Amino acid sequence: MSGNIQLLSDTLAGAKAEGRSALIAYLPAGFPTVDGGIAAIKAVFEGGADVVEVGLPHSDPVLDGPVIQTADDIALRGGVKIADVMRTVREAYEATGKPVLVMTYWNPIDRYGVERFTAELAEAGGAGCILPDLPVQESALWREHAEKHGLATVFVVAPSSKDARLAEITKAGSGFVYAASLMGVTGTRESVGAQAQDLVRRTKATTDIPVCVGLGVSNAQQASEVAGFADGVIVGSAFVKRMLDAPDEAAGLDAVRALAADLAKGVRGTA
């Protein structure tokens, strides 16, 4: 079975045709439980997310902040396995027909086996993988199997990436480019916002594939601002925090559904 890279591309193109950015949500598998995580993903799709990234919980999530680290720890203590991640992807995709990616560090894939991981992700209906710590120059094996199975390979670029490096990364990637910035995390929000916009401009100069920005967006106003220059707005910690702060699972589902609806208005400029 082939993966759903085409569905991802069509979804991003469809948002562009509507004159808006896509809303991409992130939630970790197995949080608060495997079933609860699947329900949360369905809820954000119901709220208006176009794409969902399913996080594969890792014991050393070096690029994630404390909110996602807390959720990962809950999932790992609950015994989440890669099989649960695949089940999460499958059930979310089958219930919604929308693109679902996995965001993971390289070590779990390496240990599981690249061929096995890509084959199972494609069979589950996955659209691809975001690989924040896999260097492009070491990615040939992954890309070979991902392409064979119809999966997107999404690399991460940062404001520190030089133009030549951006070109190298975007040439190797597919689906979209994940542009990471710090806006909304530091106190110098205006300058960091300009930095994010500059990163998108420089990245777009090297590629025709969409450039989506993940940078601590937590409300409709911020989503609207980022949508002004990016093809997609990626929101993770804000969803996870709603789940963590909820008194029970039902309240958590209501909270992430409402946040997705608010953000969906933001990317459409109707908030």
Side-chain angles (χ1 to χ4, degrees):
M1 179 176 172
S2 181
N4 274 312
I5 184 173
Q6 191 61 51
L7 175 62
L8 174 64
S9 297
D10 290 348
T11 298
L12 294 171
K16 185 176 182 179
E18 292 177 13
R20 66 175 180 88
S21 286
L23 174 59
I24 303 174
Y26 166 94
L27 284 165
F31 167 73
T33 61
V34 176
D35 288 342
I38 293 167
I41 292 167
K42 291 177 183 177
V44 299
F45 272 134
E46 289 164 7
D50 298 290
V51 179
V52 166
E53 305 169 6
V54 176
L56 194 161
H58 189 50
S59 56
D60 187 25
V62 292
L63 299 178
D64 294 313
V67 170
I68 291 173
Q69 286 185 23
T70 298
D72 276 4
D73 186 56
I74 290 169
L76 290 167
R77 288 174 186 271
V80 70
K81 300 285 191 292
I82 288 180
D84 299 312
V85 178
M86 298 299 178
R87 181 186 149 214
T88 299
V89 171
R90 176 181 291 103
E91 294 196 15
Y93 167 65
E94 288 180 350
T96 65
K98 295 185 178 180
V100 183
L101 299 103
V102 170
M103 186 166 188
T104 179
Y105 296 97
W106 180 244
N107 184 258
I109 294 178
D110 192 40
R111 292 184 61 186
Y112 197 72
V114 176
E115 167 61 22
R116 181 184 177 195
F117 190 95
T118 52
E120 289 185 8
L121 181 57
E123 192 275 329
C129 246
I130 301 160
L131 302 159
D133 66 340
L134 177 63
V136 170
Q137 60 270 27
E138 297 175 20
S139 67
L141 178 65
W142 164 266
R143 287 187 286 128
E144 174 193 340
H145 287 290
E147 188 172 341
K148 181 172 78 173
H149 290 291
L151 298 169
T153 297
V154 179
F155 289 115
V156 178
V157 298
S160 58
S161 302
K162 305 297 185 190
D163 289 351
R165 179 67 173 162
L166 289 176
E168 182 184 9
I169 292 170
T170 58
K171 183 179 179 182
S174 57
F176 64 90
V177 182
Y178 189 123
S181 175
L182 299 175
M183 191 176 90
V185 175
T186 68
T188 56
R189 186 173 176 280
E190 289 177 14
S191 63
V192 178
Q195 191 177 45
Q197 191 166 358
D198 181 63
L199 174 61
V200 171
R201 178 188 60 77
R202 292 193 297 119
T203 305
K204 280 182 168 290
T206 72
T207 185
D208 291 330
I209 66 174
V211 181
C212 304
V213 175
L215 36 62
V217 171
S218 61
N219 59 49
Q221 181 185 348
Q222 290 174 322
S224 180
E225 290 175 18
V226 176
F229 58 83
D231 298 303
V233 180
I234 303 168
V235 181
S237 295
F239 283 113
V240 176
K241 190 171 190 307
R242 293 285 180 105
M243 296 284 289
L244 284 169
D245 291 347
D248 54 51
E249 189 174 309
L253 297 179
D254 288 342
V256 295
R257 188 183 294 107
L259 177 59
D262 194 39
L263 294 165
K265 291 178 183 175
V267 299
R268 288 168 172 79
T270 59

